[in-house]
Amino acid sequence: MSKTRIGIAVVVLATLLSSPALARVRLGIGPLGVARFAVTRVLSLGGLHHGRALARHGQIRTTSLRSQNVRNAMDSGLGNPAVRRQIVAAAALAGWQGGHIAKGWWRHGDGGYGWVGPLFWPFAIYDIYDYTIRGDGIGFWDYGYPDIYAAIFSPYGHDDLAAYMGPSPHGPRHRRVPPLQQLCGDDSREIAGLPINQIQQAIQPNEAQRAALDDLASAWIMAAQIVRASCLTQTAFTAPDRLAVMHQRIGVMIEAVLAVRQPLGKFYDLLEDEQEARLNALAEDRRRTSAANGATEASAQGCGTAQPAVLQWPADEIEARLHPNDTQRAALKVLQDANARAIDILTAECQPKDAITSPARLDAVDGRLVDMQQAVYLVSGALEAFYATLSDEQKAQFEAIGQKRTA
């Protein structure tokens, strides 16, 4: 496939964790404020025609992405979830099946994608902010077991993933595609500026409240820096390594939540009841806007109790491709059971209906991330044990399962 068609709009979110199991995936320094460059790269490539995600009804609509679309996306800003979904969908689909298919099987219910090539959870800090402050949980709560499944059975082949990491050495035409390292910027205030201004307008803070709000703004900047603190320099080509990437990323997001928790709680403690009600009204207005655009909380497939057919465990295909022996079948049964347990974990506790304040919603974010990390850890251990029993040929056959799917 032509590597010049792969544009990547990402916020690469991870700092190194100490676990030896994760040490295989080497990370470097990464960006948040690269939005304009990333949008231009993703949406302006002349050959990229598939990937304009629309917020309405959670559908992806395919269209030719002209320069006017680029300008509109940049003018709307990354604070708009629909814009982020456009960027993510374009990037995810450009590197899959030659960019010729308009909808990937690992697509989220809101039209976005949890995996964009080797990257897990693009624009994560925005999803955390949208739910915590604005009460718009569609992006955040759409993450769940389907993303674990897409890590095990990746839709991307080896060459697809390698292409996301940078230009090919075989000619200058490939240099149109920026490597992930070039998507790493240093703008740390984009995530905190507009939201804080909205809060000030809503509550008209006194001096003490304004100081606490400044501290909260700084905390959001720190959280953004934590989440974007590293950028992938190597690609995870195997299922165990992709789960390691997930575990690592989620751990960093938990750190970011901890950076915000105390300043957010302090700020809320200083509010009068009327001011708190105004903040809650901001979140309610955001939910109404999302509903008016056709996006509903119920669309979050990460919270679904029933997995779609495409996410059912491919037992027959594994048997046909791998021809496992008795030892491998036993390890495979343990892996399948671990996946079933992960589904239980991630569907037992989902988006709470009674989280009406920002501190309560941040607590819900933390709880969800902890549950996701537990689920990934559980599946990862079983997958490592199963993988250890496979020959190289069987591993190649296992990796090909997700790549062969087109719907």
Side-chain angles (χ1 to χ4, degrees):
M1 60 170 281
S2 172
K3 296 181 177 65
T4 62
R5 299 184 65 172
I6 302 178
I8 309 167
V10 297
V11 180
V12 182
L13 320 165
T15 57
L16 287 172
L17 300 180
S18 59
S19 170
L22 304 179
R24 293 189 301 269
V25 183
R26 181 192 168 99
L27 301 172
I29 301 301
L32 180 65
V34 68
R36 294 181 182 274
F37 174 74
V39 171
T40 301
R41 287 292 188 176
V42 170
L43 300 182
S44 65
L45 296 180
L48 198 165
H49 297 291
H50 302 290
R52 187 184 182 189
L54 299 181
R56 297 179 184 230
H57 309 295
Q59 296 297 315
I60 297 287
R61 182 157 61 94
T62 305
T63 187
S64 179
L65 297 172
R66 303 181 180 89
S67 59
Q68 183 61 47
N69 301 125
V70 177
R71 288 193 294 271
N72 290 343
M74 291 190 296
D75 290 343
S76 296
L78 292 179
N80 184 336
V83 171
R84 299 199 302 270
R85 288 194 288 272
Q86 290 175 17
I87 296 170
V88 168
L93 297 176
W96 179 63
Q97 301 288 338
H100 298 300
I101 300 178
K103 177 181 175 181
W105 62 260
W106 72 107
R107 172 182 172 273
H108 283 185
D110 69 346
Y113 290 80
W115 284 96
V116 177
L119 173 70
F120 173 62
W121 209 319
F123 301 122
I125 193 64
Y126 287 89
D127 288 339
I128 293 173
Y129 170 81
D130 277 350
Y131 178 61
T132 300
I133 301 299
R134 294 174 171 170
D136 186 349
I138 295 174
F140 179 84
W141 290 98
D142 235 4
Y143 283 82
Y145 176 75
D147 301 298
I148 296 176
Y149 188 97
I152 299 172
F153 305 107
S154 175
Y156 299 100
H158 186 284
D159 290 344
D160 301 332
L161 291 170
Y164 275 97
M165 296 305 298
S168 167
H170 302 302
R173 68 190 182 91
H174 295 300
R175 295 191 178 95
R176 292 179 60 193
V177 183
L180 287 182
Q181 299 96 308
Q182 288 183 298
L183 298 179
C184 300
D186 60 0
D187 179 8
S188 60
R189 290 201 168 268
E190 183 173 347
I191 188 66
L194 178 61
I196 298 304
N197 290 338
Q198 288 178 333
I199 293 173
Q200 287 179 330
Q201 293 172 6
I203 67 170
Q204 297 298 308
N206 60 32
E207 185 174 348
Q209 292 167 343
R210 186 174 292 108
L213 186 56
D214 288 343
D215 290 342
L216 178 58
S218 297
W220 276 112
I221 293 171
M222 181 181 297
Q225 290 171 340
I226 290 171
V227 169
R228 69 168 212 264
S230 49
C231 187
L232 289 162
T233 58
Q234 290 184 346
T235 297
F237 291 111
T238 68
D241 286 350
R242 287 189 293 271
L243 286 178
V245 167
M246 285 191 75
H247 191 277
Q248 196 169 16
R249 175 66 57 83
I250 295 168
V252 171
M253 292 171 68
I254 292 173
E255 291 181 32
V257 169
L258 291 176
V260 173
R261 170 173 283 149
Q262 191 275 337
L264 181 63
K266 177 182 177 181
F267 173 65
Y268 256 74
D269 287 343
L270 292 173
L271 296 180
E272 302 290 342
D273 290 345
E274 182 179 351
Q275 291 174 312
E276 186 172 332
R278 291 175 188 168
L279 282 185
N280 295 339
L282 283 180
E284 184 61 31
D285 288 344
R286 180 60 178 260
R287 284 193 290 271
R288 290 196 190 99
T289 300
S290 295
N293 288 332
T296 64
E297 303 290 350
S299 69
Q301 71 177 34
C303 295
T305 56
Q307 299 301 323
V310 72
L311 300 179
Q312 297 303 311
W313 188 255
D316 292 342
E317 188 172 2
I318 292 174
E319 179 70 28
R321 284 181 172 274
L322 273 61
H323 305 291
N325 58 34
D326 290 343
T327 299
Q328 292 168 339
R329 284 194 182 93
L332 185 59
K333 178 63 165 60
V334 173
L335 175 58
Q336 188 171 357
D337 290 345
N339 276 266
R341 177 60 183 144
I343 293 173
D344 290 341
I345 291 172
L346 294 175
T347 56
E349 295 292 337
C350 209
Q351 183 171 351
K353 300 298 184 183
D354 58 349
I356 61 174
T357 68
S358 288
R361 288 191 291 268
L362 188 65
D363 286 343
V365 167
D366 183 59
R368 179 63 170 181
L369 292 175
V370 169
D371 286 345
M372 287 191 66
Q373 194 173 52
Q374 179 188 356
V376 171
Y377 181 81
L378 182 68
V379 173
S380 181
L383 181 61
E384 289 270 10
F386 172 63
Y387 233 69
T389 70
L390 301 180
S391 67
D392 289 344
E393 174 61 26
Q394 287 175 313
K395 290 176 183 177
Q397 289 293 327
F398 188 83
E399 292 292 336
I401 291 174
Q403 300 167 25
K404 299 298 183 181
R405 295 185 179 181
T406 57

